[in-house]
Amino acid sequence: RAIARHEVREIEQRHTMDGPRQDVALDEEEDMVIIYNRVPKTASTSFTNIAYDLCAKNKYHVLHINTTKNNPVMSLQDQVRFVKNITSWKEMKPGFYHGHVSYLDFAKFGVKKKPIYINVIRDPIERLVSYYYFLRFGDDYRPGLRRRKQGDKKTFDECVAEGGSDCAPEKLWLQIPFFCGHSSECWNVGSRWAMDQAKYNLINEYFLVGVTEELEDFIMLLEAALPRFFRGATELYRTGKKSHLRKTTEKKLPTKQTIAKLQQSDIWKMENEFYEFALEQFQFIRAHAVREKDGDLYILAQNFFYEKIYPKSN
């Protein structure tokens, strides 16, 4: 925290030396803020690495939202602080914020210009399996870090067979509450209201939601739509090393019997319904933005124009 405060002071001092930026209205492109409230184990580190690699070249700031014990629900007072920071911290604009925080509705706080929300989700069982082994063996991103369940050699299949808590169907309930937000009902496992709210937010409050299985297409769409942040992202993902670094070690794929047992749960059915809903929406957006040629996808050029402009200029 001390290092972070020092870095912030350095940046603010640098901007002060450059001129009184806080008194100058930013143009629309410079006033942009993106929030990526990343769901754990959805390739979020791979995607975030791209933002870090591009921020100097594309001239924006990247800030990690680090909550105590990775708690995705903020206190009411922290919500106020967070909204105030995001909207008024001109020294950090344009800004890309990322962290394991559930959706927060800025409109509730009287904000006129809301940030742009993006996210990525994953097949719920695959996400849980990845997280299960991550807690035990870590990954190749920070191999020396000791994880919470390190030393536990039990496989995911064995955990499900024994009815263990770390692989219980209730652990699948994560992507819905992340999109639902900070209401208490969002975190009531199996709440139909929470799923409906998560769907509503995905459609109405998120600029784009991709899926882990089609991450490159998600990045391609972002680069086409928001080049101020993502110019060069697709090529970097294809050729760079960092985007492919983080892989959970010692992961063993579950058997068909294990998957079938989890799929009997109403919780899985709801999380899977939400995932399928997000996937369908993403594929719909992609279908209207790209075309395929010789096995490769390419972004469509502008497909609208203006005519019959009156009154006529002399």
Side-chain angles (χ1 to χ4, degrees):
R1 287 176 180 173
I3 293 171
R5 283 195 292 267
H6 177 70
E7 289 176 345
V8 167
R9 280 197 299 270
E10 278 192 339
I11 292 171
E12 290 180 337
Q13 287 171 3
R14 189 158 63 246
H15 283 301
T16 302
M17 291 170 64
D18 293 340
R21 186 178 177 184
Q22 62 270 23
D23 297 326
V24 178
L26 302 176
D27 66 40
E28 194 160 334
E29 235 185 23
E30 296 302 302
D31 198 28
M32 285 179 64
V33 170
I34 293 176
I35 297 181
Y36 172 33
N37 64 315
R38 44 196 284 196
V39 180
K41 304 313 295 177
T42 57
S44 61
T45 299
S46 298
F47 175 61
T48 305
N49 277 336
I50 292 174
Y52 276 113
D53 285 348
L54 290 174
C55 64
K57 180 181 178 182
N58 291 346
K59 294 183 172 55
Y60 61 88
H61 297 283
V62 180
L63 297 90
H64 179 209
I65 310 160
N66 189 358
T67 59
T68 303
K69 296 183 179 179
N70 282 332
N71 186 355
V73 177
M74 290 183 175
S75 67
L76 186 61
Q77 58 270 33
D78 273 350
Q79 292 177 41
V80 173
R81 295 184 187 109
F82 182 63
V83 170
K84 185 177 180 181
N85 288 155
I86 294 281
T87 54
S88 63
W89 203 358
K90 292 184 179 180
E91 290 81 9
M92 293 296 159
K93 291 182 178 180
F96 180 96
Y97 292 75
H98 67 96
H100 298 312
V101 180
S102 60
Y103 170 75
L104 184 62
D105 183 7
F106 277 58
K108 289 170 61 176
F109 300 85
V111 172
K112 292 180 180 178
K113 181 171 182 178
K114 298 195 293 185
I116 296 172
Y117 268 95
I118 62 172
N119 217 327
V120 177
I121 68 172
R122 187 176 184 178
D123 175 277
I125 292 180
E126 289 183 7
R127 195 208 66 80
L128 180 59
V129 171
S130 182
Y131 190 61
Y132 177 89
Y133 285 109
F134 171 73
L135 291 180
R136 284 153 178 78
F137 300 101
D139 55 30
D140 52 7
Y141 187 68
R142 289 189 290 176
L145 187 63
R146 184 175 180 82
R147 300 296 172 180
R148 182 154 49 92
K149 294 284 184 175
Q150 191 165 326
D152 182 359
K153 304 294 185 182
K154 188 182 298 180
T155 67
F156 187 81
D157 287 330
E158 291 169 343
C159 178
V160 171
E162 296 172 9
S165 59
D166 284 349
C167 55
E170 288 76 14
K171 294 293 184 181
L172 292 166
W173 189 258
L174 190 69
Q175 299 188 129
I176 285 175
F178 256 76
F179 279 78
C180 178
H182 277 67
S183 301
S184 62
E185 187 65 18
C186 296
W187 298 89
N188 286 338
V189 178
S191 166
R192 172 63 58 172
W193 182 90
M195 185 175 72
D196 290 342
Q197 185 64 38
K199 287 181 176 181
Y200 176 88
N201 287 343
L202 186 147
I203 294 295
N204 294 283
E205 305 296 343
Y206 279 80
F207 179 77
L208 184 65
V209 176
V211 293
T212 303
E213 296 79 4
E214 297 173 13
L215 189 61
E216 183 177 326
D217 295 356
F218 171 71
I219 293 169
M220 181 188 298
L221 289 173
L222 283 177
E223 180 174 1
L226 299 173
R228 177 65 182 79
F229 283 81
F230 298 105
R231 186 179 290 106
T234 307
E235 185 63 22
L236 183 62
Y237 178 79
R238 289 171 177 168
T239 61
K241 295 179 180 179
K242 286 187 178 180
S243 59
H244 305 288
L245 265 179
R246 192 163 199 175
K247 295 180 180 177
T248 303
T249 57
E250 301 292 331
K251 185 168 68 174
K252 297 178 181 177
L253 297 177
T255 63
K256 292 181 179 179
Q257 291 83 354
T258 296
I259 293 173
K261 187 172 182 178
L262 286 173
Q263 288 177 341
Q264 293 173 6
S265 162
D266 289 337
I267 299 169
W268 172 82
K269 291 174 183 175
M270 294 180 72
E271 276 280 349
N272 190 65
E273 180 182 333
F274 179 67
Y275 169 75
E276 295 286 348
F277 178 83
L279 177 61
E280 182 181 356
Q281 174 67 7
F282 175 71
Q283 290 176 339
F284 178 85
I285 293 172
R286 183 181 60 188
H288 288 79
V290 303
R291 289 291 180 269
E292 184 176 347
K293 185 177 181 181
D294 300 327
D296 293 325
L297 294 178
Y298 66 94
I299 294 290
L300 288 174
Q302 182 170 315
N303 205 24
F304 72 92
F305 56 93
Y306 306 104
E307 61 181 9
K308 298 181 180 178
I309 302 172
Y310 285 84
K312 296 286 188 180
S313 59
N314 294 329

